[in-house]
Amino acid sequence: LAEGGYWVDIAPALATTQSLTVVFHPVHGWALVVHSVINGEDFTTETRVTQTFHPGFVGERSDAVRPHESRDLIGKRTLFRYSVNHLYEHIYLSSRRFVWHNLVGEQRGHAAAELASTWKLEEGVYLFTWREEIIPVGTVFVFDYARGRSTGKFIGLTSDGKIENGKGGALIIPFGQSNYGEHQEPV
């Protein structure tokens, strides 16, 4: 992650459809654990992938700010360059939804509005997750707008039903901002 920050993934041996992601920065003092679960096909939640968030502190900084849910991304439009062959647009619609839109790559022209969560780690640094509604896929990413980088993973199932964490990262390119005006603020 950003200079001095860490990312740790833990896959409990007996819980093959669960994953823990721990992001923390000992110098700045923040920590956040994301517990991701891929539920069975008989799921009763909004999406098959569910996530819970557990903020905390690390180190001995008395002025550290605990990670917290954030609305800072609402209205932002950002391009994510995963490779020369993969370019996606993200539009952050509300505190619960964002749109991904493939501009370059295998999914060119595909787009979807997915359930999402945004946690502020520090100024300009966010943990962002989304959960797809159609297929059992989720993500955990850290967006570092100051450095123009994202670091993260895609969570899905292998053919034998075990969780798979696929690494991901992109260059972040700011692309625009929507202004919703007074009394029209999204959820």
Side-chain angles (χ1 to χ4, degrees), residues 1-2 70-80 82 88-92 98-99 117-128 130 141-151 170-177:
L1 302 178
S70 174
R71 299 174 55 80
D72 290 359
L73 299 185
I74 294 174
K76 279 189 183 285
R77 292 180 67 191
T78 308
L79 297 177
F80 281 75
Y82 291 94
Y88 285 80
E89 176 183 16
H90 287 188
I91 304 169
Y92 306 95
F98 96 111
V99 170
S117 301
T118 304
W119 286 74
K120 187 172 188 171
L121 302 174
E122 61 183 77
E123 195 60 43
V125 181
Y126 301 89
L127 182 125
F128 183 79
W130 73 85
F141 274 87
V142 171
F143 295 167
D144 184 338
Y145 281 92
R147 292 179 55 229
R149 301 282 310 171
S150 75
T151 301
L171 297 175
I172 298 174
I173 306 161
F175 190 54
Q177 178 79 34

Side-chain angles (χ1 to χ4, degrees), residues 82-147:
Y82 291 94
S83 73
V84 294
N85 299 318
H86 296 91
L87 179 66
Y88 285 80
E89 176 183 16
H90 287 188
I91 304 169
Y92 306 95
L93 301 176
S94 71
S95 63
R96 292 183 32 92
R97 293 252 181 216
F98 96 111
V99 170
W100 60 264
H101 174 214
N102 183 239
L103 299 170
V104 175
E106 299 168 358
Q107 296 181 308
R108 179 174 165 74
H110 292 201
E114 308 290 7
L115 288 171
S117 301
T118 304
W119 286 74
K120 187 172 188 171
L121 302 174
E122 61 183 77
E123 195 60 43
V125 181
Y126 301 89
L127 182 125
F128 183 79
T129 69
W130 73 85
R131 297 154 301 280
E132 296 199 14
E133 292 187 47
I134 304 296
I135 58 176
V137 170
T139 69
V140 179
F141 274 87
V142 171
F143 295 167
D144 184 338
Y145 281 92
R147 292 179 55 229

Side-chain angles (χ1 to χ4, degrees), residues 8-77:
V8 177
D9 258 336
I10 302 167
L14 299 176
T16 58
T17 58
Q18 296 184 37
S19 173
L20 293 172
T21 302
V22 183
V23 293
F24 64 98
H25 199 297
V27 175
H28 298 169
W30 52 258
L32 184 60
V33 176
V34 181
H35 181 206
S36 300
V37 177
I38 300 178
N39 296 292
E41 292 181 15
D42 59 343
F43 68 101
T44 58
T45 52
E46 290 181 286
T47 58
R48 193 161 163 198
V49 175
T50 56
Q51 293 171 318
T52 56
F53 303 88
H54 310 277
F57 299 107
V58 63
E60 298 180 11
R61 283 196 54 173
S62 60
D63 63 339
V65 176
R66 182 187 301 256
H68 55 279
E69 289 186 272
S70 174
R71 299 174 55 80
D72 290 359
L73 299 185
I74 294 174
K76 279 189 183 285
R77 292 180 67 191

